Amino acid sequence: MNRVLTIVGSSARAAAFSAVRAGCHVRAADLFADVDLCRICADTRVGIYPAGLAAVVRGPQGGAWMYTGALENHPSLVDAMARARPLWGNPADVLCRVRSPRLVAETLRKHGLSCPRVTMDSQAVPRDGSWLSKPCRSAGGVRIAVWDHNSPAASRSHGRYFQQFIEGTAYSAVYVAARGHARLLGVTRQLIGQSWTGATGFRYCGSIGPIELPAAATDRFAAIGEVLAGEFKLVGLFGVDAIVNSAGVWPVEVNPRYTASVEILERAGGVRAIELHAAACEENELPKRVERTNGPVSGKAIVFASSQLEISAAWTDRALAANDDRRPMWADIPAEGSMIEPGWPIVTVLVDAPDEAAVDHALRENAEKVRAQLRVG
């Protein structure tokens, strides 16, 4: 592609690697400035998030810009930065609509698609564990909780909403949209609150894919993407998190930007995400069809700290030395001297294997290796 692209968000690493693979010259800014990201592009660690990202977007570099999570929660900032240079992604007015849980639910139901019930009023739902309390400005499953008698009192003024709790398996679908239509690029299984990663509750901690679902579920995912693209005028890459069970596919959240599972679909083969994103945003073009390869299944798992720790030079060097530049096994590698607080991410492990079960097993093994290495310094 040979273009300059500025990428900003809470973590820019995955999108930056995707863009570099597509031939872009990347300028990035995020909360971490991890060493593997700094090796492939100019990156700035912002001290004031998210406002500090604006200075990077307004910098002297040329080209377009795009955002990763969780800037969809800050539409006014997105709008301000979009005045500085061309945006590859969804503008503020689209974000305000598609990030409304109530509007999304009403839209899907209007088209005959199942979705959990949603309300903004805590008094309208029972406190029996059959509903979830979720922040309106959500990211990665943080601060999502079961709504029951142990939950603190809440009201409309607390910036939360309530969503029917659906039992099943969590998946994430990735799409590219243009001209009011969407193409389904693939589906991954989400890892949520897995204790072996150090995550708790509903926190996102990884992805495995691509997953081949039954045709009915795949068709339903495709229909969900088409409705959302048409009704909300989405453009470029976006994702839908959903619960799948015997009753069908239940969308629980729309992520209108590059999502965490995109790099897994790329790694497994057949998806050139940033090229598709650029074509959709700049040329209003969609791929005529999505090629799917018979490559390996890939996975990622984010390992979280259970106590405060300081990253040693030896550990950082070991992680970098173990990496293959084309297919890294470690990502989001913190710099020497980084202080990791309890509950913060330490590193991301990535694996490839013949099937989903083997990927799951390898991720668990590698996460344990991280913990063992850090215990011995």
Side-chain angles (χ1 to χ4, degrees):
M1 293 175 71
N2 197 29
R3 301 178 184 178
V4 176
L5 179 62
T6 301
I7 302 175
V8 299
S10 60
S11 174
R13 193 273 314 163
F17 270 74
S18 290
V20 168
R21 285 193 293 269
C24 293
H25 301 281
V26 175
R27 177 75 172 89
D30 65 4
L31 283 168
F32 303 103
D34 289 318
V35 293
D36 49 334
L37 174 59
C38 292
R39 292 178 96 182
I40 66 162
C41 70
D43 181 70
T44 297
R45 181 175 184 173
V46 296
I48 302 175
Y49 178 88
L53 300 173
V56 176
V57 172
R58 294 177 181 135
Q61 71 274 16
W65 75 286
M66 63 178 281
Y67 55 86
T68 65
L71 279 190
E72 66 272 16
N73 293 321
H74 304 278
S76 60
L77 179 61
V78 169
D79 186 52
M81 292 191 291
R83 292 194 289 270
R85 65 180 63 249
L87 168 62
W88 286 3
N90 292 292
D93 61 327
V94 173
L95 296 182
C96 289
R97 297 182 68 244
V98 80
R99 291 293 290 173
S100 166
R102 187 161 50 190
L103 183 55
V104 168
E106 290 171 354
T107 299
L108 291 171
R109 280 196 294 269
K110 181 178 74 174
H111 288 269
L113 297 169
S114 301
C115 62
R117 289 177 289 162
V118 170
T119 181
M120 306 300 291
D121 185 0
S122 64
Q123 302 302 314
V125 296
R127 298 179 68 156
D128 61 0
S130 61
W131 288 72
L132 298 177
S133 171
K134 305 177 74 171
C136 295
R137 291 188 171 190
S138 61
V142 177
R143 296 191 296 121
I144 296 175
V146 173
W147 182 243
D148 58 21
H149 292 290
N150 296 317
S151 305
S155 68
R156 296 174 186 269
S157 64
H158 283 70
R160 302 184 73 82
Y161 70 98
F162 301 86
Q163 186 179 72
Q164 180 188 10
F165 181 47
I166 305 294
E167 296 278 1
T169 304
Y171 291 94
S172 182
V174 175
Y175 308 82
V176 62
R179 305 190 313 272
H181 296 283
R183 296 283 186 274
L184 176 63
L185 302 181
V187 177
T188 63
R189 177 167 66 85
Q190 290 191 308
L191 303 178
I192 304 295
Q194 297 291 316
S195 59
W196 53 269
T197 70
T200 58
F202 293 89
R203 191 165 193 179
Y204 169 81
C205 54
S207 302
I208 297 175
I211 302 297
E212 292 296 327
L213 293 171
T218 300
D219 290 346
R220 184 51 60 98
F221 267 119
I224 291 166
E226 186 74 359
V227 165
L228 293 172
E231 291 282 353
F232 293 96
K233 308 306 178 191
L234 292 166
V235 63
L237 294 168
F238 74 96
V240 173
D241 296 340
I243 301 298
V244 177
N245 59 23
S246 59
V249 177
W250 302 80
V252 296
E253 187 167 294
V254 181
N255 296 301
R257 36 77 180 169
Y258 183 104
T259 67
S261 57
V262 171
E263 71 172 327
I264 293 304
L265 297 179
E266 283 195 323
R267 188 180 176 100
V271 173
R272 301 176 68 86
I274 295 298
E275 291 180 18
L276 295 175
H277 189 57
C281 296
E282 288 205 324
E283 308 296 335
N284 215 22
E285 291 183 357
L286 285 177
K288 291 181 178 160
R289 59 184 176 274
V290 177
E291 300 290 343
R292 291 183 170 84
T293 66
N294 293 320
V297 177
S298 297
K300 64 189 284 187
I302 304 166
V303 183
F304 294 91
S306 55
S307 59
Q308 186 185 67
L309 59 93
E310 182 176 358
I311 299 298
S312 68
W315 190 87
T316 296
D317 291 344
R318 186 186 306 135
L320 289 171
N323 260 355
D324 178 323
D325 288 340
R326 296 184 62 188
R327 298 186 75 80
M329 308 306 290
W330 308 86
D332 305 311
I333 300 170
E336 168 193 353
S338 296
M339 294 299 300
I340 311 295
E341 299 296 330
W344 286 15
I346 305 171
V347 72
T348 300
V349 296
L350 299 113
V351 303
D352 310 296
D355 56 49
E356 184 181 350
V359 168
D360 188 283
H361 179 74
L363 287 174
R364 291 170 186 262
E365 282 194 333
N366 286 2
E368 182 53 37
K369 287 178 184 176
V370 170
R371 297 192 178 283
Q373 291 170 359
L374 290 170
R375 279 197 295 269
V376 298

